[in-house]
Amino acid sequence: MDQPKFTVVVPATTANLGPGYDCFGLALDLTMEVRVYESDRWHVEYREKEYASLTSGESNLIVKTILGTAKFAGRSISPHVLVVSSNIPLGKGLGSSASAIAAGVEIANEILQLDLSMQQKLELGTTFEGHADNVNAAIHGGFVLSYYKNGELDYVALDAPKVGALILVPDVQLATSESRSVIPEVINHAEATAGSAAGHLFVAAIANEQWSLAGKMLERDTFHEPFRKKMFPHFDEVRALVKSSGAYGMTISGAGPSLFVLMPEDRVAEVAQAVRKHYPVYEPIEAHPSNKGTYVQ
Ligand code: HSE
């Protein structure tokens, strides 16, 4: 194929980080690259086999987001071919749909020269995704905290923490909608108070580089982990194992099914090896927190 008009690069993300349900998102250094070519029809070609099941026409999430962004701007947009290469595991709790949405917003912005502000991109991405955490981190990069209710979006972006991280990826996919369906509509006030305190301390500990405390608070969620963890094989045993191998803490990555482990950089290899040996159902992937959000190259 000829040279693309341009390429958009989007990071993977992990969300929630324990008690930050629908609020905390962290960009990682796994990426999806979308090369954009002029064409007379919309078509999406995925280079990785894992993505082969996704639709390739106007129902594709990237294309739908491009069209939705153009509509928001009151503009029409000519069709393009998108060629996607990605090392973000699909449907595994690493924000692959948020990355697709982030790519779509940026592609429309670039084709139509919309000059969208960061706030506008995040609002569009959050509206398309329905919750803010993954998509805002994917667009902005770094550690992003979002408040999103009734269309109101506020956010704070902190630098990506300089700490080791490992994603434990099982060989199954889990739809976010399915994982959200196990969370009750109402939780007890005392439990919510404790979960909220854990979230506040987690952020403060990250900002202060108090990694052990951050790891402890990562495991004090009351909003989703208690209801979801039964869906993930050997959850408590894997948590005990990674901690005995030197990790600070472990939680669910986003809605799952992957697990997110926070640890000192120099323990990553040891923790990965322990998981491979004892729980081969999980493939450990090293993923560094990253300040890079979505960009055009
Ligand atoms: N906050 C979301 C959830 C992240 O846990 O359902 C996955 O999109």
Side-chain angles (χ1 to χ4, degrees), residues 161-166 248 260-266 268 287-289:
K162 293 185 182 69
V163 65
L166 203 55
Y248 297 123
F260 173 80
V261 190
L262 191 78
M263 73 195 82
E265 283 279 7
D266 62 3
V268 170
H288 301 95

Side-chain angles (χ1 to χ4, degrees), residues 15-16 21-23 129 131 133-134 176 179-180 183 224 228 254-255:
N16 301 328
Y21 182 68
D22 281 0
C23 174
E129 172 86 329
H131 46 271
D133 44 4
N134 289 102
T176 298
S179 185
R180 289 177 88 82
I183 298 173
H224 68 112
R228 285 172 159 171

